[in-house]
């Protein structure tokens, strides 16, 4: 090695790179002007030789090997930087010409980092994750990830032999707001990748990208580079009309659906005779016309999808999410799901997405202990762990966490045109002692059990959505009597548009379970809901939660010695639901009285419609839905006490109620 070049070598820095412990690899790698000329350095393990090729002239300058791990350097007699490529010959004889990842500037502005550090960068998903783009005329993929306490982060995948030394990322920002970023030229859509994170203790971990837009089909769990901006939407008229519409005085009759079991295919066998993974599912594009036709025929206004965000375990129904920014690959690619949403809107059907900001699973490749420290969860298990669910609780007081979640809800509204977000398990967010015994939780600073940070997070999120005025609704599944769930945040409320009425559902199903002979003793369960019906803006629900875990189906809850007698009670129940103030929701299969409890691993029992009792229930629900939509009295004043009047609510001996 020439003396001039030797004297420019930072041997400690080279060692840091070779041992993959550099949080600022750009400080050494790539082009750097010195008094002696243009110094270009590269770390390419398995390279036998490398030359620098000047783009403007085609002239090549051989690089010298400074470290046997694959660290090369060249000193070029120039006083300015110039575009160049690296011509690499590997130890297997293969030669390729590459752009240097370390010759590109960051795509973050100082303002981006400040807004993220403050928790108010609502489009952070445009920066975080993996984004195909062109920089300085060079196409590639830009990666960035939040890992504030990592020693080093690298992008790894098939494209670099999963070698964490090859694409070490640069840290931007300081402290809690710091992110790692790198542009890798030459990569394309479809590449699988993960982040290799080296902790402060020096231990490497492989993590999926929390902001990935696509992921491998389970049981594989790598992230996939994908361009989600290529789909051409056709629903502008729907979106414009939605922004002008107040849903409060409009009909809202929701059909709750689990896409993986509404209808399924017969599994396909591979060459070994085993079931081909994922072959049992219909694609989003196949589901869209089938579901839309059925929903329109039945007279529903909306569908609510149980979580479509990527998740590892089918049995979680999507409620333990590992890929918050990726629609599950079980049913297709991101643009397939966009087509689904677009098609529904074209058919006049709104789509509400279930969303889970309450907790996340402990899978080693996911967000748990993401950079070797508790990035997304609390360090103290009394704050950061759900003992009964086996999941982790978000640290809502950390700006990077609240930003991740708020931006995620906005992402589904912006990128996938969601008409509503139904927030799961809100009660578990609001109460520090939810599902916990004494000694398993920590009181707030006032000694109470309210999660003050979760309260502020919910107010923040709902205020941002309401400020958009785009017609998106936010619905809370909250199972307690927490006050003002749908109240104005300026007046102490949480700001949701709607709240599931779990109290009505529990009371009414308990009432309906009673043998009619004994219902007079439970008459209060039929009428009590009207004492608080206007305390919140409610949605009446018979959801999936009521037909799982041994609870049986809706018709199974009804009294009667024969199926026909049970069906009579079920018809009465559905009619009362339709007449009671509040928007409506019914889980799939219950509209035709499926007898068996819901099973996420099988298709609904559509064959039951061959039997008159089930077909009659379906026809009855269809007629009820039509009645509901055709008569404004059943929805226009849902949240105005003048919209409902008891005529008689004291006929307990006869089990009769009369109202106007």
């Amino acid at each position: 090695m020439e003396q001039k070049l030797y004297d420019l070598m930072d041997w400690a820095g080279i060692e840091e790179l070779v041992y993959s412990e550099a949080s600022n690899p750009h400080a050494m790698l790539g082009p750097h002007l010195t008094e002696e000329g243009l110094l270009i350095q590269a770390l390419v393990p398995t390279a036998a030789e490398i030359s620098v090729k000047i783009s403007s002239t085609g002239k090549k300058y051989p690089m010298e090997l400074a470290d046997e791990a694959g660290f090369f350097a060249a000193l070029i007699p120039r006083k300015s930087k110039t575009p160049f490529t690296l011509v690499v010959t590997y130890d297997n004889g293969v030669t390729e010409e590459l752009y240097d990842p370390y010759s590109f500037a960051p795509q973050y502005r100082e303002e981006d980092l400040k807004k993220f550090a403050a928790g108010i960068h609502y489009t952070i998903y445009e920066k975080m994750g993996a984004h195909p783009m062109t920089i300085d005329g060079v196409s590639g993929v830009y990666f960035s990830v939040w890992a504030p306490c990592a020693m080093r982060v690298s992008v790894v995948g098939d494209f670099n032999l999963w070698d964490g030394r090859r694409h070490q990322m640069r840290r931007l920002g300081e402290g809690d707001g710091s992110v790692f970023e790198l542009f890798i030229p030459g990569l394309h859509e479809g590449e699988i990748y993960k982040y290799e994170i080296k902790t402060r203790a020096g231990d490497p971990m492989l993590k999926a990208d929390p902001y990935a837009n696509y992921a491998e089909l389970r049981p594989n769990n790598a992230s996939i580079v994908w361009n989600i901006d290529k789909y051409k939407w056709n629903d502008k008229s729907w979106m414009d009309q939605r922004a002008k519409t107040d849903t409060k005085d409009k009909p809202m009759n929701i059909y709750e659906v689990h896409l993986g079991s509404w209808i399924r295919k017969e599994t396909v066998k591979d060459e070994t005779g085993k079931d081909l993974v994922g072959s049992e599912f219909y694609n989003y594009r196949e589901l869209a016309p089938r579901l839309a036709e059925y929903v329109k025929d039945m007279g529903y206004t909306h569908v609510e999808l149980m979580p479509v965000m990527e998740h590892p375990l089918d049995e979680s129904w999507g409620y333990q999410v590992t890929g918050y920014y990726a629609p599950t690959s079980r049913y297709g690619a991101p643009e397939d799901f966009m087509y689904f949403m677009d098609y529904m809107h074209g058919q006049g059907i709104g789509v509400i997405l279930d969303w889970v900001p309450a907790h996340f699973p402990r899978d080693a490749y996911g967000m748990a202990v993401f950079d070797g420290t508790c990035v997304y969860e609390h360090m103290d298990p009394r704050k950061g762990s759900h003992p009964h669910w086996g999941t982790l609780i978000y640290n809502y007081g950390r700006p990077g966490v609240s930003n991740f979640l708020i931006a995620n809800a906005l992402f589904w509204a912006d990128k996938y045109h969601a008409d509503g977000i139904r927030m799961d398990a809100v009660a578990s967010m609001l109460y520090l002692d939810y599902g916990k015994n004494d000694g398993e939780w920590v009181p707030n600073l006032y000694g109470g059990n309210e999660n003050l940070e979760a309260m502020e997070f919910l107010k923040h999120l709902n205020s941002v959505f309401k400020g958009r005025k785009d017609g998106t609704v936010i619905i809370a599944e909250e199972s307690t009597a927490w006050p003002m769930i749908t109240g104005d945040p300026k007046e102490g409320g949480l700001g949701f548009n709607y709240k599931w009425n779990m109290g009505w559902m529990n009371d009414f199903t308990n009432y309906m379970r009673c043998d009619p002979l004994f219902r007079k003793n439970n008459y209060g369960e039929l009428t009590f809901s009207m004492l608080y019906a206007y305390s919140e803006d409610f949605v009446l629900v018979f959801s999936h939660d009521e037909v799982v875990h041994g609870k049986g189906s809706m018709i199974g809850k009804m009294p009667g010695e024969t199926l026909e007698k049970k069906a009579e009670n079920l018809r009465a129940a559905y009619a009362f639901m339709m007449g009671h103030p509040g928007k409506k929701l019914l889980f799939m299969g219950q509209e035709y009285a499926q007898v068996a409890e819901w099973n996420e691993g099988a298709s609904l029992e559509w064959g039951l419609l061959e039997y008159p009792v089930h077909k009659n229930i379906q026809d009855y629900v269809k007629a009820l839905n039509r009645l509901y939509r055709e008569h404004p009295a059943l929805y226009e004043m849902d949240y105005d006490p003048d919209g409902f009047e008891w005529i008689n609510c004291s006929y307990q001996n006869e089990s009769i109620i009369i109202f106007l």
Side-chain angles (χ1 to χ4, degrees), residues 258-290:
H258 178 260
L259 288 179
S261 59
W262 185 71
I263 190 169
R264 282 166 92 98
K265 297 179 179 179
E266 293 293 328
T267 54
V268 176
K269 305 289 185 182
D270 62 17
E271 60 274 8
T272 67
K274 293 182 180 178
D275 288 345
L276 194 63
V277 175
S279 65
E280 68 271 33
F281 299 121
Y282 282 94
N283 184 279
Y284 294 112
R285 291 177 185 264
E286 297 173 308
L287 287 164
R290 286 172 176 248

Side-chain angles (χ1 to χ4, degrees), residues 72 93 245 492 509:
F72 290 79
T245 302
T509 52

Side-chain angles (χ1 to χ4, degrees), residues 443-458:
N444 63 35
L445 59 89
Y446 302 111
N449 67 342
E450 302 89 358
N451 189 330
L452 305 178
E453 294 170 342
M455 291 169 58
E456 289 307 309
F457 161 74
L458 294 171

Side-chain angles (χ1 to χ4, degrees), residues 243-456:
K244 302 173 186 175
T245 302
D246 182 358
T247 57
K248 293 293 172 73
D249 61 359
K250 300 294 185 296
M252 182 180 284
N253 191 9
I254 305 165
Y255 186 57
E256 188 188 18
V257 176
H258 178 260
L259 288 179
S261 59
W262 185 71
I263 190 169
R264 282 166 92 98
K265 297 179 179 179
E266 293 293 328
T267 54
V268 176
K269 305 289 185 182
D270 62 17
E271 60 274 8
T272 67
K274 293 182 180 178
D275 288 345
L276 194 63
V277 175
S279 65
E280 68 271 33
F281 299 121
Y282 282 94
N283 184 279
Y284 294 112
R285 291 177 185 264
E286 297 173 308
L287 287 164
R290 286 172 176 248
L291 183 58
E293 181 182 8
Y294 183 74
V295 167
K296 284 179 68 176
D297 182 56
M298 289 298 296
Y300 292 101
T301 63
H302 293 71
V303 294
E304 180 178 316
L305 303 183
M306 293 169 68
V308 296
M309 299 79 190
E310 193 57 80
H311 53 281
L313 185 67
D314 291 8
E315 288 79 7
S316 78
W317 314 329
Y319 290 102
Q320 294 193 11
V321 179
T322 50
Y324 276 77
Y325 286 82
T328 177
S329 54
R330 287 167 175 80
Y331 320 126
E335 60 267 27
D336 295 330
F337 185 53
M338 291 176 181
Y339 174 89
F340 176 95
M341 300 292 283
D342 206 7
Y343 190 91
M344 288 293 174
H345 290 167
Q347 298 299 307
I349 300 165
V351 184
I352 299 164
L353 302 181
D354 274 13
W355 184 59
V356 192
H359 61 125
F360 61 97
R362 297 173 180 266
D363 298 68
Y365 70 89
M367 292 184 293
V369 197
F370 186 72
D371 64 3
T373 67
C374 294
V375 176
Y376 290 93
E377 70 273 33
H378 287 276
M379 183 181 298
D380 187 337
R382 296 175 299 170
K383 293 183 176 181
S385 175
H386 271 303
H388 300 308
W389 295 345
T391 53
L392 298 171
I393 301 170
Y394 283 104
N395 181 353
Y396 303 105
R398 194 171 194 179
V401 175
S402 63
N403 203 149
F404 170 81
L405 291 170
I406 292 173
N408 183 239
L410 292 165
F411 169 85
W412 292 103
D414 287 341
K415 296 295 186 180
Y416 288 91
H417 295 198
D419 301 292
I421 302 289
R422 177 264 187 185
M423 206 177 297
D424 182 65
V426 172
S428 74
M429 300 168 66
L430 291 172
Y431 294 96
L432 295 166
D433 58 348
Y434 185 90
K436 297 181 179 181
N437 300 314
D438 290 344
E440 294 179 343
W441 62 283
V442 179
N444 63 35
L445 59 89
Y446 302 111
N449 67 342
E450 302 89 358
N451 189 330
L452 305 178
E453 294 170 342
M455 291 169 58
E456 289 307 309

Side-chain angles (χ1 to χ4, degrees), residues 595-611:
V595 176
E597 192 172 81
W598 172 54
N599 172 16
E600 81 286 336
S603 178
L604 291 182
E605 297 176 356
W606 294 105
L608 291 176
L609 290 171
E610 297 176 7
Y611 299 95

Side-chain angles (χ1 to χ4, degrees), residues 527-582:
T527 60
F528 178 67
S529 60
M530 286 311 302
L531 295 179
Y532 62 86
Y534 302 105
S535 62
E536 303 280 6
D537 292 350
F538 284 116
V539 179
L540 305 184
V541 294
F542 289 138
S543 73
H544 68 275
D545 279 329
E546 303 318 303
V547 293
V548 291
H549 302 317
K551 297 176 185 175
S553 62
M554 284 303 299
I555 197 167
K557 301 179 196 298
M558 301 296 117
E561 295 181 359
T562 66
L563 198 60
E564 287 74 12
K565 291 295 183 183
K566 289 177 178 290
E568 291 176 7
N569 275 283
L570 188 61
R571 287 195 293 272
Y574 288 165
F576 177 59
M577 178 188 191
M578 205 59 79
H580 192 290

Side-chain angles (χ1 to χ4, degrees), residues 14-15 17-20 42-48 50 65-72 163 165-166:
I14 292 173
E15 184 175 0
L17 284 164
V18 166
Y19 282 94
S20 66
L43 175 60
V44 186
T46 71
I50 305 177
L65 182 64
D67 188 284
E68 292 181 352
F71 190 90
F72 290 79
D163 185 343
R165 297 171 296 173
R166 293 173 183 260

